[in-house]
Amino acid sequence: MAAPVSPNVVVKWNGKEYTISDINDTDTVHDLKCMISKQTGVLPERQKLIGLKLKGKVPADDTLMSVLQLKAKTKLMMVGTREETIAAANEKPKDMDEVIDDFDVEEDDIQTEKREEFLEKIQRRVKDYEIKVLNEPRPDKKLLVLDIDYTLFDHRSVAEHALELKRPYLHEFLTSAYKNYDIVIWSATSMKWIEVKMKELGVSSHTDYKLTFMVDSSACISVQTPKYGMVDTKPLGVIWGKFKQYTTTNTIMFDDLRRNFLMNPQNGLKIRPFRQAHKNRDKDKELLRLARYLEDISSLDDLSHLNHRQWESYKPPPKS
């Protein structure tokens, strides 16, 4: 019997870790995927293993595991969806980009925002990524950057119309925020799909507030993390490099995934994800509470010193 390459491989998927044991020299990458499939239910052809590399490239399925020379307790992240989940979500447009949202990253785990190679990626985005301004930035306004999926919209539940999946108090929240903040949408999907969502939700045509611009997945960058391998993130430096009035001192971003704040941890607020809209839309008041928080901090000269993890207990300074 061939000796195992390593005692085990740990695969993280959907918030859980799965230990794959007894990997032999004669096993291939496809064999590994089959072992993973037995534990997760995700078919081998649906799996994308992040962190598994051969000479800097993704190894072919027929690559022998012995060639990869994995270390003991190698950790990988898997992106993939069970067949039944795909069937339940088949109402999504075919050209919609899939968002990797199977895990989260604690800010304390990884300090990446000062890594030179990642800063260079941001500078390339500043140079190459084109932003279409919908409404001119307003003088003296702070900047609010908003995710869509699970932040403003439950993109997995099934409904006859997108309005049924809209987060409660969305328009009230945006109307309130617009008084003090320019509003930008940044979603890790295609611009086409962002535009469709904003139209169906009534955001792009609302008369009480206006979007300054929208940003799609092309402005994201990939960063290498010790724990999770290569992940995508949303660097606010892309916006700051193009619009000098927006800086780390006057910008706040809401997202349901903390990994999207890796390049700007002081500016990110992790919102509670809005899922199961039909069950939770009568009791979800997250946006109402966040509207009050935005109002409370709007008079501050510098937002970067705030600990947004403690936003619910924030006490505004007394008015003079």
Side-chain angles (χ1 to χ4, degrees):
M1 178 182 296
V5 170
S6 64
N8 56 59
V9 169
V10 178
V11 178
K12 184 155 187 171
W13 174 74
N14 206 24
K16 297 181 181 179
E17 291 189 347
Y18 300 84
T19 299
I20 312 299
S21 304
D22 300 324
I23 302 172
N24 297 315
D25 285 333
T26 55
D27 289 331
T28 64
V29 171
H30 183 266
D31 293 326
L32 173 63
K33 290 182 177 180
C34 290
M35 297 177 198
I36 295 172
S37 180
K38 288 180 181 179
Q39 293 200 37
T40 65
V42 179
L43 295 178
E45 58 267 29
R46 295 285 187 190
Q47 297 175 23
K48 179 180 179 181
L49 299 178
I50 298 176
L52 197 65
K53 297 287 185 180
L54 179 62
K55 296 182 180 180
K57 298 182 179 180
V58 178
D61 278 358
D62 61 357
T63 302
L64 291 174
M65 295 300 296
S66 58
V67 175
L68 300 178
Q69 298 180 339
L70 299 181
K71 298 179 181 179
K73 298 183 180 179
T74 293
K75 287 193 175 183
L76 306 174
M77 190 197 84
M78 182 183 77
V79 178
T81 308
R82 295 190 181 110
E83 298 303 292
E84 59 267 31
T85 304
I86 295 172
N90 62 7
E91 80 283 359
K92 292 192 305 179
K94 293 181 179 180
D95 62 344
M96 174 184 173
D97 294 332
E98 185 63 36
V99 182
I100 301 173
D101 61 358
D102 288 325
F103 70 101
D104 200 359
V105 176
E106 293 295 324
E107 291 169 9
D108 295 337
D109 289 346
I110 310 162
Q111 294 295 324
T112 62
E113 69 268 23
K114 296 182 180 179
R115 292 272 295 273
E116 186 64 31
E117 63 268 36
F118 303 149
L119 294 176
E120 290 177 357
K121 287 186 178 183
I122 293 175
Q123 290 306 309
R124 288 198 293 271
R125 295 293 186 278
V126 172
K127 179 182 177 182
D128 298 334
Y129 185 78
E130 293 186 10
I131 290 179
K132 178 183 177 183
V133 175
L134 304 175
N135 294 282
E136 289 297 322
R138 297 170 296 164
D140 303 321
K141 296 298 182 183
K142 292 180 169 59
L143 178 65
L144 172 63
V145 181
L146 297 171
D147 177 46
I148 300 178
D149 294 336
Y150 294 141
T151 298
L152 307 180
F153 174 77
D154 174 11
H155 78 120
R156 285 297 189 192
S157 295
V158 178
E160 292 186 5
H161 196 279
L163 290 177
E164 298 178 49
L165 307 178
K166 173 176 66 69
R167 192 163 202 160
Y169 307 105
L170 172 61
H171 297 305
E172 293 88 342
F173 164 75
L174 293 175
T175 299
S176 175
Y178 186 66
K179 291 183 296 183
N180 300 299
Y181 300 81
D182 285 340
I183 300 172
V184 165
I185 301 295
W186 190 340
S187 177
T189 54
S190 68
M191 183 59 71
K192 181 177 180 179
W193 183 234
I194 295 172
E195 292 172 345
V196 168
K197 287 182 181 177
M198 292 300 96
K199 181 179 179 180
E200 291 186 349
L201 292 175
V203 171
S204 57
S205 60
H206 208 279
T207 57
D208 292 335
Y209 58 84
K210 296 179 180 179
L211 298 181
T212 304
F213 53 84
M214 299 185 290
V215 184
D216 68 2
S217 59
S218 299
C220 296
I221 66 169
S222 297
V223 298
Q224 183 70 32
T225 63
K227 190 173 182 179
Y228 296 102
M230 192 69 73
V231 301
D232 289 336
T233 188
K234 301 175 182 178
L236 288 172
V238 175
I239 295 176
W240 297 335
K242 286 183 169 292
F243 300 88
K244 300 304 180 184
Q245 76 180 74
Y246 304 133
T247 67
T248 183
T249 65
N250 64 9
T251 302
I252 184 170
M253 172 190 271
F254 291 177
D255 204 298
D256 67 297
L257 295 174
R258 188 169 284 117
R259 66 177 172 82
N260 283 324
F261 311 142
L262 285 178
M263 293 304 296
N264 30 258
Q266 287 300 114
N267 298 93
L269 187 153
K270 185 177 184 296
I271 193 171
R272 291 184 180 88
F274 178 59
R275 297 187 175 97
Q276 296 181 298
H278 300 295
K279 177 181 177 181
N280 295 315
R281 62 188 173 194
D282 292 333
K283 54 187 178 182
D284 185 290
K285 297 183 179 181
E286 185 87 344
L287 292 182
L288 278 184
R289 292 192 288 263
L290 283 167
R292 288 195 291 269
Y293 179 63
L294 289 175
E295 177 72 25
D296 286 343
I297 66 175
S298 63
S299 61
L300 299 179
D301 293 329
D302 187 353
L303 304 184
S304 64
H305 72 281
L306 294 173
N307 182 353
H308 295 309
R309 290 179 183 237
Q310 299 177 0
W311 69 270
E312 290 175 288
S313 60
Y314 176 77
K315 303 294 183 184
K319 296 182 179 180
S320 57

